[in-house]
PDB file of all heavy atoms in Angstrom:
ATOM      1  N   CYS A   5     -10.202  10.043  15.717  1.00 83.00           N
ATOM      2  CA  CYS A   5     -10.932   9.782  16.953  1.00 83.00           C
ATOM      3  C   CYS A   5     -12.113  10.742  17.085  1.00 83.00           C
ATOM      4  O   CYS A   5     -12.021  11.910  16.718  1.00 83.00           O
ATOM      5  CB  CYS A   5     -10.001   9.924  18.150  1.00 83.00           C
ATOM      6  SG  CYS A   5      -8.702   8.680  18.189  1.00 83.00           S
ATOM      7  N   VAL A  11      -7.554   3.627  21.384  1.00 96.00           N
ATOM      8  CA  VAL A  11      -7.868   2.198  21.242  1.00 96.00           C
ATOM      9  C   VAL A  11      -9.345   2.010  20.897  1.00 96.00           C
ATOM     10  O   VAL A  11      -9.692   1.193  20.041  1.00 96.00           O
ATOM     11  CB  VAL A  11      -7.463   1.405  22.502  1.00 96.00           C
ATOM     12  CG1 VAL A  11      -7.961  -0.027  22.429  1.00 96.00           C
ATOM     13  CG2 VAL A  11      -5.950   1.431  22.671  1.00 96.00           C
ATOM     14  N   LEU A  14      -9.653   2.673  17.260  1.00 96.00           N
ATOM     15  CA  LEU A  14      -9.189   1.525  16.475  1.00 96.00           C
ATOM     16  C   LEU A  14     -10.253   0.442  16.403  1.00 96.00           C
ATOM     17  O   LEU A  14     -10.550  -0.078  15.319  1.00 96.00           O
ATOM     18  CB  LEU A  14      -7.912   0.953  17.090  1.00 96.00           C
ATOM     19  CG  LEU A  14      -7.536  -0.454  16.614  1.00 96.00           C
ATOM     20  CD1 LEU A  14      -7.021  -0.427  15.198  1.00 96.00           C
ATOM     21  CD2 LEU A  14      -6.565  -1.102  17.552  1.00 96.00           C
ATOM     22  N   VAL A  15     -10.848   0.110  17.539  1.00 96.00           N
ATOM     23  CA  VAL A  15     -11.871  -0.936  17.586  1.00 96.00           C
ATOM     24  C   VAL A  15     -13.059  -0.553  16.706  1.00 96.00           C
ATOM     25  O   VAL A  15     -13.560  -1.359  15.917  1.00 96.00           O
ATOM     26  CB  VAL A  15     -12.300  -1.189  19.051  1.00 96.00           C
ATOM     27  CG1 VAL A  15     -13.545  -2.055  19.124  1.00 96.00           C
ATOM     28  CG2 VAL A  15     -11.152  -1.810  19.838  1.00 96.00           C
ATOM     29  N   ARG A  16     -13.505   0.708  16.808  1.00 96.00           N
ATOM     30  CA  ARG A  16     -14.638   1.186  16.007  1.00 96.00           C
ATOM     31  C   ARG A  16     -14.302   1.179  14.522  1.00 96.00           C
ATOM     32  O   ARG A  16     -15.062   0.691  13.683  1.00 96.00           O
ATOM     33  CB  ARG A  16     -15.044   2.598  16.457  1.00 96.00           C
ATOM     34  CG  ARG A  16     -16.187   3.184  15.626  1.00 96.00           C
ATOM     35  CD  ARG A  16     -16.539   4.599  16.075  1.00 96.00           C
ATOM     36  NE  ARG A  16     -15.393   5.507  16.113  1.00 96.00           N
ATOM     37  CZ  ARG A  16     -14.837   6.066  15.035  1.00 96.00           C
ATOM     38  NH1 ARG A  16     -15.294   5.793  13.811  1.00 96.00           N
ATOM     39  NH2 ARG A  16     -13.820   6.900  15.157  1.00 96.00           N
ATOM     40  N   ARG A  19     -14.208  -2.261  12.927  1.00 96.00           N
ATOM     41  CA  ARG A  19     -15.558  -2.779  12.687  1.00 96.00           C
ATOM     42  C   ARG A  19     -16.191  -2.075  11.478  1.00 96.00           C
ATOM     43  O   ARG A  19     -16.748  -2.724  10.597  1.00 96.00           O
ATOM     44  CB  ARG A  19     -16.419  -2.586  13.940  1.00 96.00           C
ATOM     45  CG  ARG A  19     -17.779  -3.236  13.862  1.00 96.00           C
ATOM     46  CD  ARG A  19     -18.625  -2.969  15.111  1.00 96.00           C
ATOM     47  NE  ARG A  19     -18.932  -1.547  15.242  1.00 96.00           N
ATOM     48  CZ  ARG A  19     -18.390  -0.710  16.141  1.00 96.00           C
ATOM     49  NH1 ARG A  19     -17.512  -1.142  17.013  1.00 96.00           N
ATOM     50  NH2 ARG A  19     -18.714   0.558  16.169  1.00 96.00           N
ATOM     51  N   GLU A  20     -16.066  -0.739  11.408  1.00 94.00           N
ATOM     52  CA  GLU A  20     -16.700   0.024  10.329  1.00 94.00           C
ATOM     53  C   GLU A  20     -16.048  -0.211   8.967  1.00 94.00           C
ATOM     54  O   GLU A  20     -16.732  -0.290   7.967  1.00 94.00           O
ATOM     55  CB  GLU A  20     -16.640   1.528  10.644  1.00 94.00           C
ATOM     56  CG  GLU A  20     -17.524   1.962  11.774  1.00 94.00           C
ATOM     57  CD  GLU A  20     -17.354   3.423  12.140  1.00 94.00           C
ATOM     58  OE1 GLU A  20     -16.571   4.154  11.492  1.00 94.00           O
ATOM     59  OE2 GLU A  20     -18.012   3.862  13.093  1.00 94.00           O
ATOM     60  N   VAL A  24     -14.297  -6.411  11.212  1.00 97.00           N
ATOM     61  CA  VAL A  24     -13.677  -7.287  12.203  1.00 97.00           C
ATOM     62  C   VAL A  24     -13.900  -6.723  13.603  1.00 97.00           C
ATOM     63  O   VAL A  24     -14.020  -5.514  13.789  1.00 97.00           O
ATOM     64  CB  VAL A  24     -12.170  -7.517  11.943  1.00 97.00           C
ATOM     65  CG1 VAL A  24     -11.953  -8.237  10.624  1.00 97.00           C
ATOM     66  CG2 VAL A  24     -11.393  -6.225  11.977  1.00 97.00           C
ATOM     67  N   ALA A  29      -8.256  -5.458  24.806  1.00 98.00           N
ATOM     68  CA  ALA A  29      -7.199  -6.150  25.546  1.00 98.00           C
ATOM     69  C   ALA A  29      -6.188  -6.824  24.613  1.00 98.00           C
ATOM     70  O   ALA A  29      -5.084  -7.171  25.045  1.00 98.00           O
ATOM     71  CB  ALA A  29      -7.801  -7.186  26.494  1.00 98.00           C
ATOM     72  N   ASP A  32      -1.857  -3.633  21.068  1.00 97.00           N
ATOM     73  CA  ASP A  32      -0.611  -3.030  21.555  1.00 97.00           C
ATOM     74  C   ASP A  32      -0.228  -1.872  20.641  1.00 97.00           C
ATOM     75  O   ASP A  32      -0.431  -1.946  19.419  1.00 97.00           O
ATOM     76  CB  ASP A  32       0.539  -4.040  21.507  1.00 97.00           C
ATOM     77  CG  ASP A  32       0.323  -5.229  22.413  1.00 97.00           C
ATOM     78  OD1 ASP A  32      -0.041  -5.016  23.589  1.00 97.00           O
ATOM     79  OD2 ASP A  32       0.506  -6.364  21.941  1.00 97.00           O
ATOM     80  N   LEU A  33       0.348  -0.834  21.221  1.00 97.00           N
ATOM     81  CA  LEU A  33       0.903   0.253  20.416  1.00 97.00           C
ATOM     82  C   LEU A  33       2.177  -0.266  19.759  1.00 97.00           C
ATOM     83  O   LEU A  33       3.068  -0.775  20.436  1.00 97.00           O
ATOM     84  CB  LEU A  33       1.210   1.475  21.278  1.00 97.00           C
ATOM     85  CG  LEU A  33       1.781   2.677  20.538  1.00 97.00           C
ATOM     86  CD1 LEU A  33       0.777   3.236  19.532  1.00 97.00           C
ATOM     87  CD2 LEU A  33       2.203   3.758  21.519  1.00 97.00           C
ATOM     88  N   VAL A  36       4.731   5.064  16.471  1.00 97.00           N
ATOM     89  CA  VAL A  36       4.200   6.423  16.360  1.00 97.00           C
ATOM     90  C   VAL A  36       4.968   7.140  15.262  1.00 97.00           C
ATOM     91  O   VAL A  36       6.201   7.096  15.232  1.00 97.00           O
ATOM     92  CB  VAL A  36       4.352   7.213  17.683  1.00 97.00           C
ATOM     93  CG1 VAL A  36       3.865   8.640  17.523  1.00 97.00           C
ATOM     94  CG2 VAL A  36       3.617   6.511  18.818  1.00 97.00           C
ATOM     95  N   VAL A  40       4.177  15.716   9.186  1.00 95.00           N
ATOM     96  CA  VAL A  40       3.618  16.920   8.570  1.00 95.00           C
ATOM     97  C   VAL A  40       3.440  16.568   7.102  1.00 95.00           C
ATOM     98  O   VAL A  40       4.407  16.301   6.395  1.00 95.00           O
ATOM     99  CB  VAL A  40       4.545  18.144   8.738  1.00 95.00           C
ATOM    100  CG1 VAL A  40       3.996  19.347   7.993  1.00 95.00           C
ATOM    101  CG2 VAL A  40       4.744  18.474  10.214  1.00 95.00           C
ATOM    102  N   ASP A  41       2.170  16.522   6.653  1.00 87.00           N
ATOM    103  CA  ASP A  41       1.882  16.091   5.277  1.00 87.00           C
ATOM    104  C   ASP A  41       2.234  17.127   4.220  1.00 87.00           C
ATOM    105  O   ASP A  41       2.533  16.785   3.090  1.00 87.00           O
ATOM    106  CB  ASP A  41       0.396  15.742   5.131  1.00 87.00           C
ATOM    107  CG  ASP A  41       0.067  14.388   5.729  1.00 87.00           C
ATOM    108  OD1 ASP A  41       0.954  13.522   5.776  1.00 87.00           O
ATOM    109  OD2 ASP A  41      -1.082  14.189   6.145  1.00 87.00           O
ATOM    110  N   MET A  49       0.019  13.101  14.819  1.00 93.00           N
ATOM    111  CA  MET A  49       0.632  11.913  15.395  1.00 93.00           C
ATOM    112  C   MET A  49      -0.151  10.715  14.889  1.00 93.00           C
ATOM    113  O   MET A  49      -1.342  10.582  15.176  1.00 93.00           O
ATOM    114  CB  MET A  49       0.565  11.934  16.921  1.00 93.00           C
ATOM    115  CG  MET A  49       1.427  12.988  17.540  1.00 93.00           C
ATOM    116  SD  MET A  49       3.150  12.567  17.353  1.00 93.00           S
ATOM    117  CE  MET A  49       3.747  13.045  18.932  1.00 93.00           C
ATOM    118  N   GLN A  50       0.490   9.881  14.110  1.00 94.00           N
ATOM    119  CA  GLN A  50      -0.130   8.662  13.603  1.00 94.00           C
ATOM    120  C   GLN A  50       0.228   7.533  14.561  1.00 94.00           C
ATOM    121  O   GLN A  50       1.399   7.181  14.697  1.00 94.00           O
ATOM    122  CB  GLN A  50       0.358   8.351  12.189  1.00 94.00           C
ATOM    123  CG  GLN A  50       0.119   9.454  11.190  1.00 94.00           C
ATOM    124  CD  GLN A  50      -1.352   9.653  10.892  1.00 94.00           C
ATOM    125  OE1 GLN A  50      -2.186   8.809  11.198  1.00 94.00           O
ATOM    126  NE2 GLN A  50      -1.680  10.760  10.274  1.00 94.00           N
ATOM    127  N   PHE A  53      -1.232   0.613  15.742  1.00 96.00           N
ATOM    128  CA  PHE A  53      -1.482  -0.442  16.718  1.00 96.00           C
ATOM    129  C   PHE A  53      -1.354  -1.810  16.076  1.00 96.00           C
ATOM    130  O   PHE A  53      -1.557  -1.970  14.875  1.00 96.00           O
ATOM    131  CB  PHE A  53      -2.892  -0.302  17.304  1.00 96.00           C
ATOM    132  CG  PHE A  53      -3.068   0.911  18.172  1.00 96.00           C
ATOM    133  CD1 PHE A  53      -3.611   2.069  17.656  1.00 96.00           C
ATOM    134  CD2 PHE A  53      -2.684   0.878  19.502  1.00 96.00           C
ATOM    135  CE1 PHE A  53      -3.783   3.186  18.457  1.00 96.00           C
ATOM    136  CE2 PHE A  53      -2.845   1.985  20.315  1.00 96.00           C
ATOM    137  CZ  PHE A  53      -3.402   3.159  19.791  1.00 96.00           C
ATOM    138  N   ARG A  56      -3.366  -8.472  18.264  1.00 97.00           N
ATOM    139  CA  ARG A  56      -2.885  -9.855  18.341  1.00 97.00           C
ATOM    140  C   ARG A  56      -3.934 -10.847  17.861  1.00 97.00           C
ATOM    141  O   ARG A  56      -3.596 -11.917  17.361  1.00 97.00           O
ATOM    142  CB  ARG A  56      -2.456 -10.174  19.772  1.00 97.00           C
ATOM    143  CG  ARG A  56      -1.223  -9.389  20.217  1.00 97.00           C
ATOM    144  CD  ARG A  56      -0.766  -9.783  21.612  1.00 97.00           C
ATOM    145  NE  ARG A  56      -1.788  -9.651  22.631  1.00 97.00           N
ATOM    146  CZ  ARG A  56      -2.133  -8.518  23.228  1.00 97.00           C
ATOM    147  NH1 ARG A  56      -1.553  -7.387  22.877  1.00 97.00           N
ATOM    148  NH2 ARG A  56      -3.077  -8.494  24.162  1.00 97.00           N
ATOM    149  N   LYS A  59     -11.857 -11.121  15.537  1.00 98.00           N
ATOM    150  CA  LYS A  59     -12.898 -12.050  15.094  1.00 98.00           C
ATOM    151  C   LYS A  59     -13.430 -11.554  13.761  1.00 98.00           C
ATOM    152  O   LYS A  59     -13.697 -10.367  13.593  1.00 98.00           O
ATOM    153  CB  LYS A  59     -14.031 -12.115  16.114  1.00 98.00           C
ATOM    154  CG  LYS A  59     -13.625 -12.752  17.418  1.00 98.00           C
ATOM    155  CD  LYS A  59     -14.765 -12.760  18.408  1.00 98.00           C
ATOM    156  CE  LYS A  59     -14.272 -13.320  19.733  1.00 98.00           C
ATOM    157  NZ  LYS A  59     -15.178 -13.032  20.822  1.00 98.00           N
ATOM    158  N   GLU A  61     -13.475 -12.144   9.213  1.00 94.00           N
ATOM    159  CA  GLU A  61     -12.577 -12.027   8.069  1.00 94.00           C
ATOM    160  C   GLU A  61     -12.652 -10.598   7.541  1.00 94.00           C
ATOM    161  O   GLU A  61     -13.754 -10.091   7.292  1.00 94.00           O
ATOM    162  CB  GLU A  61     -13.007 -12.987   6.955  1.00 94.00           C
ATOM    163  CG  GLU A  61     -12.607 -14.417   7.188  1.00 94.00           C
ATOM    164  CD  GLU A  61     -11.106 -14.602   7.175  1.00 94.00           C
ATOM    165  OE1 GLU A  61     -10.413 -14.033   6.299  1.00 94.00           O
ATOM    166  OE2 GLU A  61     -10.606 -15.322   8.056  1.00 94.00           O
ATOM    167  N   THR A  67     -16.038   1.038   0.054  1.00 89.00           N
ATOM    168  CA  THR A  67     -15.542   0.850  -1.308  1.00 89.00           C
ATOM    169  C   THR A  67     -15.107   2.152  -1.975  1.00 89.00           C
ATOM    170  O   THR A  67     -14.387   2.113  -2.959  1.00 89.00           O
ATOM    171  CB  THR A  67     -16.609   0.158  -2.175  1.00 89.00           C
ATOM    172  OG1 THR A  67     -17.813   0.929  -2.122  1.00 89.00           O
ATOM    173  CG2 THR A  67     -16.881  -1.249  -1.674  1.00 89.00           C
ATOM    174  N   LYS A  74      -5.510  -7.099   1.122  1.00 87.00           N
ATOM    175  CA  LYS A  74      -4.542  -8.098   0.717  1.00 87.00           C
ATOM    176  C   LYS A  74      -3.396  -8.103   1.724  1.00 87.00           C
ATOM    177  O   LYS A  74      -2.980  -7.051   2.189  1.00 87.00           O
ATOM    178  CB  LYS A  74      -3.999  -7.784  -0.684  1.00 87.00           C
ATOM    179  CG  LYS A  74      -3.040  -8.833  -1.190  1.00 87.00           C
ATOM    180  CD  LYS A  74      -2.637  -8.597  -2.635  1.00 87.00           C
ATOM    181  CE  LYS A  74      -1.637  -9.660  -3.054  1.00 87.00           C
ATOM    182  NZ  LYS A  74      -1.196  -9.479  -4.411  1.00 87.00           N
ATOM    183  N   THR A  91       6.510   4.580   6.326  1.00 95.00           N
ATOM    184  CA  THR A  91       7.456   5.004   7.357  1.00 95.00           C
ATOM    185  C   THR A  91       7.290   4.164   8.612  1.00 95.00           C
ATOM    186  O   THR A  91       8.270   3.709   9.207  1.00 95.00           O
ATOM    187  CB  THR A  91       7.260   6.501   7.673  1.00 95.00           C
ATOM    188  OG1 THR A  91       7.545   7.263   6.489  1.00 95.00           O
ATOM    189  CG2 THR A  91       8.161   6.960   8.797  1.00 95.00           C
ATOM    190  N   GLY A  95       9.996   1.603  10.238  1.00 96.00           N
ATOM    191  CA  GLY A  95      10.426   1.787  11.617  1.00 96.00           C
ATOM    192  C   GLY A  95      10.214   0.548  12.461  1.00 96.00           C
ATOM    193  O   GLY A  95      11.087   0.154  13.246  1.00 96.00           O
ATOM    194  N   CYS A 103       9.066   7.532  14.610  1.00 97.00           N
ATOM    195  CA  CYS A 103       9.686   8.107  13.423  1.00 97.00           C
ATOM    196  C   CYS A 103       9.091   9.489  13.180  1.00 97.00           C
ATOM    197  O   CYS A 103       8.001   9.797  13.649  1.00 97.00           O
ATOM    198  CB  CYS A 103       9.422   7.246  12.191  1.00 97.00           C
ATOM    199  SG  CYS A 103      10.298   5.687  12.165  1.00 97.00           S
TER     200      CYS A 103
END
Side-chain angles (χ1 to χ4, degrees):
C5 294
V11 172
L14 164 73
V15 169
R16 178 182 53 77
R19 187 182 64 253
E20 290 175 2
V24 296
D32 297 312
L33 181 64
V36 177
V40 175
D41 283 333
M49 292 290 221
Q50 303 292 344
F53 292 97
R56 293 183 304 280
K59 292 178 184 164
E61 282 294 317
T67 56
K74 183 173 178 181
T91 297
C103 289

